């Protein structure tokens, strides 16, 4: 048609189309009530902040951090698997894939768009949760410092030395940049899990299969480092070695993203470490998505 | 079909290529002290630790906090056996969390021990034996914690306090206090170590105690207990009168220090 | 929308050359031959009907034309471009059988989404979306979620998304299946209207009757092969018979005609005589006034 000239001509790679797929995926997931998860996590954070006033102040801060990071890990990994698992098999089951792919949309753009959409949702969700968490931790920490100083004053021990010590201790166990680094690592972990799920869903035919295999991959991914460091050297049988080797080759090492524990303990996470962890996450995401594409491009619809 | 074979090949190639990179990142994490370095433990202990890591993934801290809270409930119920086993589970899950070791030791050496001492249904000899058993259990916990967290000031202070308050053994108490102060505990604990040295009474100990307390005095820490012990030391060490700064405690009211 | 005349585009809209498609499913099942050595051509501006029973390979052929399936042998082209090229899809609009859309989107959002995928942006996207809502009579339901749409409405959204980027070729898979006669009539009217605008249309159906009045040419498929192809009148007219319909003819006149036929001798004879009947469909259309808009 004549008016076709006014619109952007077809190109084999279009960020615009990928963005359309991605934002559509976000809308889809949000309308699937995935935000309920965020509500649950927020509740966990608030409860963890104020439910245990009986234990020592340090323990109170630790509990708040433990529960927040525990909830973030569990929920965001679940969201990553479930959201990705729901997308492609569902598009196939519902035959919405036909209408999408009968438009001028290359299959890699479809895949990248879906993954990007899930990552956008994970990222914005984690950002929101980080804000809630930071606020609660800051409030909690300020309350603890003031009550500790009040206690010192009561004991007539509020020397500048002691007050500085308390403030120092609280700032180490309270809100630190390393905690945001740990949230970023959870985002990376969840994104890698999403990429793996995307790969699985390219040869799976059902949502349930994708989710179950995805969970198996996460468990194997948590144990992968162990296999690599420990068992591979010490195992003797051929099949034992073969199986461990296969897991080490096919699974991502998800323990590389477990830096919440030291961050909670008050260790500092250097920027260099975060960069390296981000690099390996990118490698996983690009790698698994490329393999997913090679499987998906031949999929008969 | 061609692409699928290509896909499998790429997956394997990536898998083989990623292993050294994963090792590299893991090494970086270890270097930054963000991942537990191998701890010199028996094989069985190490296997147990690894099983926990694998089974719980990044969730160890969450599970540890749950067993910790259950231990706290058991503590409120004064169920000491349960406190001990739940705290053991907690410390096993997060051995590098000094706080858990500290609290586990405190529960045994203080709460459980004192609570036994107050039981009037037991014969005195049994009460005393139980008291000592609990205190030693607490000491063992804190020392085990120090294997995972070498020179941790918090644990050293706990160890010192158990020796001082529960076992009345000034020498290891003094050593632990001083080591704690050296490793970042509040300066106040260095004075605690000095007070223990004073109790020992041997000349080298007294000399060391004098040096510590005089240094603190010069920095402006002129609390009654500092002055009291300086007074004792100056007399025992025959410090020239002109240089003496100590003074005996006023008879009342006696300020108490925790 | 000014339509170029069919002759303006000399390249055929669709060519299918020696297309063979074999499905290999699983390790144990036998390979299934869905389409065998199929060839046909659709000229630009034509309405082409691909007719045949269920499972004859019509849908498979369409999916190959859309690049959803890869041909085992042979190929298909769309306006000269190989159908495996993504770019060939710029010129195609596809309405699948029983279309199904993202339930979470409203009708307008659905059209917007597909429009964006086709590269439409800004004011043009808005205009096209509104035009499609109007064309398919969905303006009143534009804000409702597609999850709550009736079958007929889904069919119309499907048509809207297929046409949103003004394709030169429209592929309709069983567009009238499961649609009531009113809806079916509307779809056929629309096909004729689009043909007027110069859009090439390929339509499959197993309901032969309904295709009669819209198709310029039809191909009849059976067991993955083309068994008959050509202009509709040629295919369905019985060459050696002639139909004569009279109005208000008295019995005497009819007797005279019969006598004449007998007199003529040779092979000529009256095969049947009776009153023409209206079709049930026409009766349905006359006696229902429902427009279908209120769904």
């Amino acid at each position: 048609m004549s008016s076709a000239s006014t619109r952007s001509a077809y190109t084999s790679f279009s960020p615009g189309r990928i963005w359309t797929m991605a934002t559509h995926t976000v809308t889809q997931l949000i309308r699937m009530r995935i935000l309920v998860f965020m509500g649950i996590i927020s509740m966990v954070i608030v409860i963890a902040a104020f439910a245990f006033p009986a234990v020592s102040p340090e323990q109170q801060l630790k509990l708040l951090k433990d529960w927040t990071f525990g909830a973030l890990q569990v929920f965001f990994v679940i969201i990553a698997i479930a959201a990705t698992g729901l997308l492609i098999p569902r598009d196939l089951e519902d035959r919405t894939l036909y209408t999408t792919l009968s438009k001028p949309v290359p299959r890699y753009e479809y895949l990248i768009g879906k993954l990007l959409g899930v990552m956008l949702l994970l990222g914005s969700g984690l950002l929101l949760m980080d804000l809630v968490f930071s606020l609660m931790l800051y409030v909690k920490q300020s309350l603890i410092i003031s009550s500790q100083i009040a206690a010192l004053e009561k004991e007539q021990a509020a020397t500048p030395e002691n007050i500085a010590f308390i403030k120092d201790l609280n700032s180490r166990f309270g809100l630190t940049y390393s905690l945001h680094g740990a949230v970023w690592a959870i985002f990376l972990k969840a994104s890698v899990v999403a990429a793996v799920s995307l790969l699985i869903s390219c040869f799976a035919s059902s949502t349930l299969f994708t989710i179950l295999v995805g969970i198996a991959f996460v468990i194997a991914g948590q144990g992968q480092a162990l296999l690599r460091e420990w068992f591979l050297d010490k195992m003797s049988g051929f099949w034992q070695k073969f199986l461990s080797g296969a897991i080490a080759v096919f699974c991502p090492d998800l323990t590389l993203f477990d830096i919440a524990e030291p961050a909670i303990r008050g260790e500092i996470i250097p920027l260099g470490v975060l960069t390296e962890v981000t690099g390996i996450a990118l490698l996983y995401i690009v790698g698994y998505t490329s393999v997913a594409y090679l499987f998906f491009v031949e999929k008969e619809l | 079909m061609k692409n699928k074979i290509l896909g499998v090949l790429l997956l394997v190639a990536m898998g083989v290529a990623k292993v050294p990179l994963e090792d590299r990142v893991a090494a970086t994490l270890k270097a930054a002290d963000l991942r537990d370095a191998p701890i010199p433990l028996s094989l069985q202990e190490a296997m147990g630790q690894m099983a926990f890591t694998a089974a719980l993934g990044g969730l160890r801290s969450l599970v540890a906090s749950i067993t910790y809270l259950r231990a706290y409930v058991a503590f409120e119920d004064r169920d000491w056996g349960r406190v001990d086993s739940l705290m053991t589970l907690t410390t096993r899950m997060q051995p590098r969390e000094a706080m858990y070791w500290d609290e586990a030791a405190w529960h045994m050496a203080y709460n459980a021990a004192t609570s036994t001492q107050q039981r009037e249904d037991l014969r005195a000899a049994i009460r005393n034996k139980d008291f000592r058993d609990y205190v030693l259990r607490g000491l063992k916990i804190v020392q085990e914690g120090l294997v995972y967290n070498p020179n941790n000031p918090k644990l050293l202070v706990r160890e010192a306090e158990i020796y001082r308050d529960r076992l009345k053994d000034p020498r290891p108490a003094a050593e632990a206090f001083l080591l704690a102060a050296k490793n970042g505990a509040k300066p106040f604990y260095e004075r605690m170590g000095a007070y223990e040295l004073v109790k020992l009474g041997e000349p080298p100990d007294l000399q060391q105690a004098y040096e510590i307390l005089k240094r603190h005095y010069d920095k402006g820490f002129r609390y009654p207990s500092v002055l009291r012990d300086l007074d004792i030391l100056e007399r025992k060490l025959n410090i020239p009168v002109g240089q003496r700064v100590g003074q005996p405690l006023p008879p009342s009211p006696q300020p108490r220090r925790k | 929308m000014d339509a170029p005349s069919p002759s303006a585009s000399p390249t055929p809209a669709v060519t299918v050359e020696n297309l063979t498609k074999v499905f290999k499913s699983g390790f144990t099942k036998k390979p299934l031959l869905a389409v065998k050595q199929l060839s046909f051509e659709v000229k630009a501006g034509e309405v082409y009907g691909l007719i045949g029973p269920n499972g004859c390979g019509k849908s498979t052929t369409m999916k190959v034309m859309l690049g959803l399936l890869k041909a085992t042998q042979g190929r298909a082209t769309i306006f000269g471009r190989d159908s495996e090229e993504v770019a060939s899809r710029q010129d195609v609009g596809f309405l699948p059988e029983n279309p199904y859309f993202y339930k979470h989107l409203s009708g307008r959002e659905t059209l917007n989404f597909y429009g964006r995928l086709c590269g439409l942006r800004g004011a043009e996207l808005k205009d096209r979306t509104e035009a499609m809502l109007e064309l398919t009579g969905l303006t009143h339901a534009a804000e409702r979620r597609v999850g709550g749409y009736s079958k007929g409405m889904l069919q119309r959204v499907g048509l809207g998304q297929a046409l949103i980027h003004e394709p030169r070729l429209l592929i309709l898979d069983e567009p009238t299946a499961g649609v009531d006669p009113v809806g079916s009539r509307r779809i056929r009217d629309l096909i004729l209207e689009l043909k007027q605008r110069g859009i090439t249309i390929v339509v499959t159906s197993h309901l032969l009757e309904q295709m009669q009045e819209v198709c310029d040419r039809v191909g009849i498929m059976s067991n993955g092969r083309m068994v008959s192809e050509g202009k509709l009148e040629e295919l369905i007219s019985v060459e050696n018979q002639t139909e004569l319909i009279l109005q208000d003819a008295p019995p005497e006149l009819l007797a005279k005609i019969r006598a004449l036929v007998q007199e003529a001798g040779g092979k000529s004879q009256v095969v049947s005589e009776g009153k023409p009947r209206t079709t049930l469909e026409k009766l349905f259309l006359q006696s229902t006034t429902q427009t279908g808009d209120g769904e």
Side-chain angles (χ1 to χ4, degrees):
Chain A
M1 301 258 133
S2 54
S3 57
S5 56
T6 61
R7 74 189 63 138
S8 53
Y10 173 79
T11 48
S12 53
F13 184 83
S14 154
R17 277 194 303 260
I18 293 178
W19 187 247
T20 301
M21 282 307 306
T23 47
H24 167 254
T25 304
V26 172
T27 317
Q28 187 182 5
L29 291 172
I30 286 177
R31 293 194 182 163
M32 276 156 100
R33 311 268 151 86
I34 214 135
L35 289 181
V36 173
F37 280 100
M38 311 290 161
I40 296 174
I41 301 173
S42 305
M43 265 167 61
V44 170
I45 297 174
V46 174
I47 288 171
F50 293 106
F52 318 109
V55 297
S56 72
E58 254 174 308
Q59 286 286 10
Q60 286 184 41
L61 289 179
K62 182 172 151 48
L63 279 171
L64 170 56
K65 291 182 284 182
D66 280 347
W67 284 64
T68 302
F69 279 95
L72 289 182
Q73 294 236 22
V74 172
F75 283 110
F76 276 85
V77 166
I78 289 177
I79 291 173
I81 297 177
T84 319
L86 279 174
L87 293 176
I88 296 178
R90 194 164 186 170
D91 272 10
L92 250 175
E93 280 164 30
D94 293 352
R95 285 174 296 163
T96 38
L97 198 56
Y98 291 173
T99 35
T100 307
L101 289 182
S102 62
K103 296 290 175 210
V105 179
R107 292 194 182 187
Y108 49 80
E109 285 185 1
Y110 172 82
L111 282 185
I112 295 172
K114 289 274 168 184
L115 183 65
L116 193 68
V118 173
M119 283 172 68
L120 267 177
L121 184 86
L122 293 170
S124 39
L126 275 168
L127 191 69
L128 185 72
M129 290 301 101
D130 194 7
L131 285 175
V132 173
F133 162 68
S134 300
L135 183 74
M136 292 313 293
L137 188 59
Y138 185 75
V139 167
K140 184 86 194 171
Q141 179 185 347
S142 310
L143 285 176
I144 286 177
I145 292 179
S146 54
S147 78
Q148 277 183 323
I149 290 175
L152 281 178
E153 276 163 356
K154 220 172 164 188
E155 285 183 39
Q156 294 176 326
T159 60
E161 187 197 20
N162 283 347
I163 289 174
F165 187 83
I166 282 175
K167 283 193 170 157
D168 176 58
L169 200 72
N170 272 295
S171 66
R172 206 155 83 83
F173 290 106
L175 194 56
T176 60
Y177 282 107
S178 295
L179 289 173
H180 302 305
V183 174
W184 172 248
I186 291 181
F187 168 67
L188 294 177
K189 186 183 195 171
S191 300
V192 170
V193 170
V196 171
S197 305
L198 188 76
L199 168 59
I200 298 166
S201 69
C202 281
F203 50 84
S205 48
S206 76
T207 300
L208 189 67
F209 179 83
T210 308
I211 291 176
L212 290 180
V213 178
I215 291 170
F217 259 85
V218 169
I219 293 172
Q222 289 293 154
Q224 199 251 51
L226 220 65
L227 283 172
R228 227 175 50 232
E229 285 178 15
W230 188 262
F231 293 103
L232 220 49
D233 298 336
K234 298 183 170 67
M235 273 191 187
S236 47
F238 169 77
W239 285 110
Q240 278 173 315
K241 266 201 150 127
F242 180 78
L243 199 69
S244 321
I247 290 179
V249 164
F250 289 117
C251 293
D253 183 356
L254 294 179
T255 57
L256 297 177
F257 306 108
D258 288 341
I259 53 173
E261 218 174 302
I264 291 173
R265 202 161 57 219
E267 312 270 5
I268 290 157
I269 297 171
L271 204 61
V273 171
L274 282 180
T275 315
E276 255 185 60
V277 170
T278 307
I280 195 123
L282 274 177
L283 174 88
Y284 286 140
I285 294 168
V286 172
Y288 288 117
T289 310
S290 309
V291 177
Y293 167 68
L294 289 173
F295 277 98
F296 187 63
V297 74
E298 280 198 355
K299 199 167 181 91
E300 308 255 81
L301 301 171
Chain B
M1 206 58 207
K2 224 166 59 191
N3 282 323
K4 272 186 189 151
I5 296 167
L6 208 64
V8 174
L9 287 178
L10 178 66
L11 189 61
V12 173
M14 184 183 87
V16 174
K18 77 185 173 60
V19 172
L21 290 170
E22 285 169 342
D23 284 339
R24 197 196 121 115
V25 179
T28 310
L29 288 176
K30 266 180 199 161
D33 206 22
L34 299 178
R35 185 180 262 206
D36 299 355
I39 296 154
L41 292 172
S42 70
L43 178 68
Q44 227 165 5
E45 281 267 317
M47 292 283 278
Q49 275 295 314
M50 287 189 167
F52 267 128
T53 317
L56 300 172
L59 297 178
R60 281 192 308 180
S61 62
L62 181 65
V63 178
S65 79
I66 292 170
T67 54
Y68 166 78
L69 286 171
R70 288 176 59 200
Y72 197 87
V73 173
F75 156 62
E76 287 178 329
D77 295 344
R78 299 172 169 237
D79 184 347
W80 305 115
R82 215 173 135 66
V83 171
D84 192 13
S85 59
L86 283 169
M87 284 312 293
T88 304
L89 203 57
T90 312
T91 52
R92 277 289 173 280
M93 260 179 284
Q94 285 201 290
R96 295 201 53 198
E97 196 59 67
M99 230 183 285
Y100 285 144
W101 292 104
D102 178 50
E103 201 155 327
W106 171 70
H107 276 311
M108 290 297 111
Y110 287 77
N111 301 328
T114 304
S115 147
T116 315
Q117 224 175 15
Q118 289 163 352
R119 278 180 66 181
E120 294 190 345
D121 55 326
L122 294 177
R123 296 177 62 86
I126 309 248
R127 279 208 304 258
N128 288 339
K129 185 194 170 295
D130 282 359
F131 173 81
R132 205 176 155 73
D133 282 350
Y134 275 126
V135 171
L136 289 176
R137 170 77 189 126
L139 187 65
K140 197 179 160 222
I141 290 170
V142 78
Q143 285 170 345
E144 205 181 333
L146 280 164
V147 174
Y148 290 92
N149 305 277
N151 294 332
N152 183 287
K154 196 180 191 77
L155 294 181
L156 287 167
V157 165
R158 177 65 67 199
E159 187 191 20
E161 284 175 350
I162 293 174
Y163 277 122
R164 181 190 66 187
D165 303 335
R166 313 305 272 178
L167 297 166
K168 315 286 180 207
D169 193 347
R171 171 133 346 252
E175 280 168 9
F177 273 131
L178 295 180
L179 191 59
K182 215 189 271 174
N183 284 288
K186 284 190 219 176
F188 149 77
Y189 288 110
E190 195 180 20
R191 300 201 289 276
M192 291 289 150
Y195 300 151
E196 293 306 295
L197 290 172
V198 174
K199 288 182 196 162
L200 285 166
E202 300 288 329
D205 300 326
L206 295 177
Q207 186 61 42
Q208 195 186 355
Y210 177 73
E211 279 160 21
I212 292 167
L213 290 180
K214 185 69 177 29
R215 184 156 37 81
H216 281 257
Y217 176 87
D218 290 343
K219 276 196 214 156
F221 297 108
R222 295 171 185 186
Y223 303 118
S225 44
V226 175
L227 299 175
R228 176 204 62 198
D229 275 21
L230 275 174
D231 179 50
I232 296 168
L233 290 164
E234 283 160 352
R235 275 187 277 129
K236 284 196 176 170
L237 293 168
N238 295 319
I239 305 292
V241 180
Q243 293 173 25
R244 291 188 185 183
V245 293
Q247 42 187 273
L249 280 182
S252 69
Q254 222 172 348
R256 263 182 52 83
R257 190 174 301 280
K258 197 185 141 199
Chain C
M1 222 198 285
D2 31 32
S5 63
S7 59
S9 172
T11 30
V14 179
T15 63
V16 173
E17 298 161 24
N18 294 318
L19 178 73
T20 300
K21 178 67 199 175
V22 181
F23 286 107
K24 281 169 278 183
S25 53
F27 293 103
T28 51
K29 283 181 207 159
K30 272 189 186 166
L32 178 82
L33 186 71
V35 177
K36 195 178 179 188
Q37 293 288 320
L38 182 75
S39 294
F40 65 90
E41 197 180 288
V42 179
K43 292 188 196 73
E46 202 174 31
V47 177
Y48 188 91
L50 206 52
I51 310 179
N54 289 326
C56 69
K58 301 182 305 262
S59 290
T60 305
T61 309
M62 283 199 164
K63 283 180 180 176
V64 172
M65 283 158 56
L66 289 161
L68 296 172
L69 287 176
K70 252 196 172 92
T72 312
Q73 264 173 32
R75 68 196 284 252
T77 64
I78 306 292
F79 292 105
R81 273 203 175 105
D82 195 300
S83 67
E84 283 186 18
E85 280 177 52
V86 178
S88 72
R89 250 94 78 202
Q90 277 175 288
D91 293 323
V92 190
F94 174 52
L95 171 68
E97 184 181 357
N98 298 326
Y100 199 96
F101 297 98
Y102 294 106
K103 278 186 203 163
H104 64 276
L105 294 182
S106 70
R108 182 175 278 121
E109 286 170 326
T110 301
L111 292 175
N112 253 314
F113 169 63
Y114 287 105
R116 278 169 191 280
L117 287 184
C118 296
L120 297 172
R121 294 288 183 275
E124 195 189 6
L125 176 65
K126 208 172 164 235
D127 292 348
R128 287 299 301 160
T129 304
E130 295 313 315
M132 286 303 109
L133 286 170
E134 206 165 308
L135 178 77
T136 55
L138 284 172
T139 313
H140 67 285
E143 300 307 325
R144 272 163 59 192
R145 296 250 172 122
V146 169
Y149 276 17
S150 74
K151 213 166 178 176
M153 291 166 94
L154 284 173
Q155 196 82 7
R156 284 187 271 157
V157 179
L159 211 54
Q161 64 81 25
L163 288 168
I164 188 127
H165 57 308
E166 299 173 83
R168 287 191 282 166
L169 170 67
L170 186 64
I171 298 181
L172 308 170
D173 193 2
E174 301 279 0
T176 53
V179 178
D180 67 38
V182 179
S184 170
R185 178 76 256 163
R186 286 171 62 119
I187 287 168
R188 274 174 287 161
D189 290 345
L190 194 66
I191 290 176
L192 292 174
E193 192 193 323
L194 293 170
K195 185 193 167 185
Q196 291 288 307
R197 296 191 197 176
I199 296 177
T200 313
I201 295 165
V202 174
V203 54
T204 70
S205 182
H206 62 278
L207 300 170
L208 315 177
E209 301 257 320
Q210 300 195 340
M211 290 303 109
Q212 283 183 21
E213 52 192 302
V214 294
C215 294
D216 295 318
R217 284 197 308 139
V218 293
I220 300 174
M221 283 183 77
S222 172
N223 293 318
R225 288 163 208 261
M226 187 71 83
V227 289
S228 183
E229 195 193 15
K231 285 212 156 63
L232 197 71
E233 310 90 80
E234 292 166 11
L235 285 181
I236 57 173
S237 59
V238 182
E239 287 298 325
N240 61 350
Q241 290 186 359
T242 307
E243 204 170 35
L244 184 69
I245 297 175
L246 304 171
Q247 194 156 3
D248 299 329
E252 303 84 58
L253 180 62
L254 291 177
K256 269 185 192 160
I257 292 172
R258 274 194 294 271
L260 274 170
V261 172
Q262 264 188 339
E263 266 169 44
K267 287 194 205 165
S268 308
Q269 58 172 316
V270 176
V271 178
S272 73
E273 190 192 323
K275 296 203 183 297
R277 291 179 201 167
T278 180
T279 60
L280 195 56
E281 190 200 354
K282 277 184 193 155
L283 187 66
F284 185 97
L285 289 175
Q286 278 162 8
S287 41
T288 51
T289 46
Q290 196 185 334
T291 56
D293 281 343
E295 281 175 290

